[in-house]
Structure formats: C-alpha cells, structure tokens
Amino acid sequence: MNLRIAVIETEHFEVLDPVIHLLLQIGAEIHVLCSRQVNKFSEFKLDSRLNWHFNQSEISPRQQLLQFKQVIASLNIDRLLLLTVSNNHLFYSRLKKKGIKVVLGIHDINSYLIPQIKFSLRGLIRHFSKKILFNSADEYLVFSNKQALTLQAETKKNVHHIPPSLFHSVQFLPRSYSKGQELLVVIPGSVDIKRRNYEEVFAFIEEAENLHLNARVVILGAPPVDQLETFRARVNSIRSTQNGRIDFFEEQVPTDVFFEYLRKAHFIWSPVQKVFDNDGESWETYGVTKISGSVYDAIRVGRPLILPDHYVVDSPLLKAGIFYRSVTDICSILQFVASHPEQYAVYQLQALNASMDYVPEKWVASIENIFKT
C-alpha cells in the first residue's frame, strides 16, 4: 500500500521530528507543510525523502494558510495530520476534503472539551471555530498515554499517541559524577511563569547555598522580551544576595547549544505548575490534559528527571523520575548524590532504562495505526 500523508506544523519542530522519523520507518510519502522557522530547526530539513512546502521569505499567517490550502488541493494524499493548531481553527477545518482523513493533534484537551467562552465577538468566533475543527476531525493525536486515556473516555473516535521525543541509543552519551564536582541542573524551555514555577527555582538556589551544596541551575531558555528586564533583575538579586549559581539566556537558545546543555546536565528539572491557565481559556492539568515538553527532553538524552509529585507521568517515566514535594526534597537528593557519587550512576542507569521505552522501533506500530482505519 502506498501511504501518502501531509503533515502541517508551523510552531514546534520538536513535535514534528518524531512523527517524520516514524513515518519514514513505514515508507510513507511525506509532504511537510510548515513555516520557514520549523524547517530551519528540523533535523530533517535536508532529507531528500521529504517533500517540503514552505515559503523562503517571511509572509503573513493568512498568506501561509492560503498556500497550504493550494498545496493540499494539489496533492493526492490519504491522511492530513494537523500537529499543532493554535489559531485559525475554522480555516483548518475547511482543509478536510472527500477521501482525506484528518488527524488533529490535541495539545490542550480541556480547551476543546470544556472551553471557556469569552463573550466578545472574537471570543465567540474562536470558541465555535475550535468546536467545528474538533468535530470535523476523523481522529486525534495526543502526546502521552495519560492524555490518550483522558481524551478517549470522551470520544468514540480513535485517539493516537505519539511521544514528542524519541530516544536514539546510538547518540546516547552517558554522564558521570565525581565527588566535589559541580552538579549541573538544567531547566529546558523558554521562561514562562504560567507553565513553570520559578519561585521554586529561586528558593532552591537559596537553600542550596545555605547548605553549601555545589550545584548550578541553568534555565535553558529566554523570557519574553517584555519580561526580560524584570527576570534579569530577579536573577541578579539572587546571585548577589545568596551568591547563587543560576544562569539563563536572554535570547532564543540555538539548537546546538540547547542539546549541548541537555547532554552536559546531571539532572533535568521540570518545575511545572500543577495547572496551566491560558489567558482565560480552560485550565489544563499538567500530565493529564497537557504535557510539558521538558519532561521529554530528559527522555531524549537519557538523563534523570526531577519532577513535582503532582505531575502524572506515563509508567516508563517513573523509572527516570525523581519526584519532590518541596525544594528541600531536591536539596536532600542532591546532597546525598554529592556525598555518595555512586548513587548518580544508579540514577543515570534508571534514566537510560526509561529512555529505552522511547526508541523508534517501539513506536512504529503507533504510526502505522493512523493508516489502518
């Protein structure tokens, strides 16, 4: 069977790449409709097996969507996979044509199931457009097993699950720790107080310094431009008053630098909030109706993961996770590692075992299921 699929992704290259990798494993004919930025950062941007469709120059979102419509009309495809749709929902719903099954990627489940209506013209249009898109899709795609179970309980349509990161064992670089060495804790992702609890991070820095714990935190991301001055001032205050060792980036982190820090990390910390409130839209529960990509950054490089105990993880991640209720718990864990370096090797092995559940060959069947119905 000749499998033909078009994938649309304009925001997250890190979500796109695992899907492309798996589609290539089953010999699908792949058309990628994306933004120039997504193509720029994709590891497959030079892969001749793919058919890329994007504009080489900056164009407006509306122009981009109109180009997508023209491309879809010209292709003879079986499936249309909409990986990320955060706007123009009504337009995307109209891409559905006879003979094409549409698989809709759902990042925030509650925003579709129990959306909060803003009683303005724009708010009402957005609400009903999302509802039309959700109902028009033939199947859905989510990014964790818990998300899949949550959404499947609310729909009779098929719900597929593809993780946002895969682990390539040939690229794995083991990390070691020696007594007296600085423990490097990396927090991936742009600075966003709605998604991550930075008060916990600052409290950890203070407590670690009081305990003379040899640890450094690197926030592997930048704040929004309008929050840069405030965030910089807060970090500088921590550095001066507690002599805290904390670093962050003031601009978008280059891809090579991002992965270099992930590989150098002893621990990857995801201080996610319990709930996510997206400007008056429905609240999402992390680990249940929404995931954090930073969790899967740890899987990608096989590093131990530090997570708040309210985050609901899929069972493989239990092997890699170190769960805490307070920053005191984190300090206690790192103090023990600092005194007993052999314990780090245990954490590293557990993280590697967790990552092995995300090797591509274990997920090929999941991508094949998209074509079976």
Side-chain angles (χ1 to χ4, degrees), residues 314-332:
D314 289 350
S315 55
L317 289 165
L318 291 171
K319 306 172 190 175
I322 298 171
F323 298 90
Y324 66 92
R325 291 186 177 181
S326 69
V327 295
T328 299
D329 295 340
I330 303 174
C331 287
S332 296

Side-chain angles (χ1 to χ4, degrees), residues 102-126:
V102 175
V103 183
L104 174 64
I106 304 289
H107 294 254
D108 302 341
I109 292 176
N110 284 345
S111 73
Y112 284 96
L113 294 183
I114 48 173
Q116 300 297 309
I117 304 177
K118 292 183 179 179
F119 289 98
S120 63
L121 179 59
R122 185 174 181 178
L124 288 170
I125 290 173
R126 180 176 174 83

Side-chain angles (χ1 to χ4, degrees), residues 206-320:
E206 181 176 359
E207 189 163 339
E209 288 301 315
N210 291 337
L211 294 170
H212 305 290
L213 177 60
N214 188 13
R216 177 177 297 278
V217 170
V218 173
I219 298 175
L220 198 53
V225 175
D226 61 343
Q227 298 177 28
L228 176 58
E229 288 296 331
T230 302
F231 196 79
R232 182 197 291 136
R234 185 68 191 276
V235 169
N236 287 338
S237 174
I238 293 292
R239 285 171 174 164
S240 62
T241 57
Q242 276 86 39
N243 194 28
R245 284 171 289 178
I246 179 171
D247 301 305
F248 77 102
F249 288 76
E250 298 194 0
E251 296 179 350
Q252 183 176 0
V253 184
T255 306
D256 57 340
V257 174
F258 187 87
F259 286 109
E260 179 185 357
Y261 268 101
L262 289 183
R263 293 187 180 100
K264 288 195 301 185
H266 288 103
F267 296 92
I268 291 177
W269 183 10
S270 186
V272 289
Q273 303 279 12
K274 186 171 184 177
V275 295
F276 171 66
D277 179 18
N278 187 19
D279 293 329
E281 292 195 9
S282 297
W283 285 50
E284 307 288 343
T285 302
Y286 266 111
V288 179
T289 65
K290 182 179 179 65
I291 66 158
S292 172
S294 58
V295 171
Y296 292 87
D297 285 326
I299 287 296
R300 189 179 310 189
V301 294
R303 292 292 180 266
L305 174 65
I306 300 175
L307 267 177
D309 66 355
H310 59 69
Y311 193 106
V312 180
V313 297
D314 289 350
S315 55
L317 289 165
L318 291 171
K319 306 172 190 175

Side-chain angles (χ1 to χ4, degrees), residues 37-89:
Q37 193 79 347
V38 165
N39 172 264
K40 176 183 176 181
F41 289 110
S42 172
E43 65 177 282
F44 295 99
K45 62 183 176 183
L46 301 177
D47 197 313
S48 60
R49 294 172 294 177
L50 303 177
N51 302 283
W52 288 95
H53 305 272
F54 66 96
N55 201 288
Q56 294 286 355
S57 58
E58 288 292 341
I59 58 176
S60 70
R62 180 167 181 79
Q63 287 175 312
Q64 183 173 231
L65 293 173
L66 290 174
Q67 286 188 358
F68 288 170
K69 184 177 181 180
Q70 293 172 353
V71 171
I72 293 297
S74 69
L75 297 176
N76 181 24
I77 59 173
D78 305 298
R79 297 291 188 277
L80 174 59
L81 178 50
L82 306 176
L83 278 181
T84 303
V85 180
S86 59
N87 50 50
N88 292 290
H89 301 85

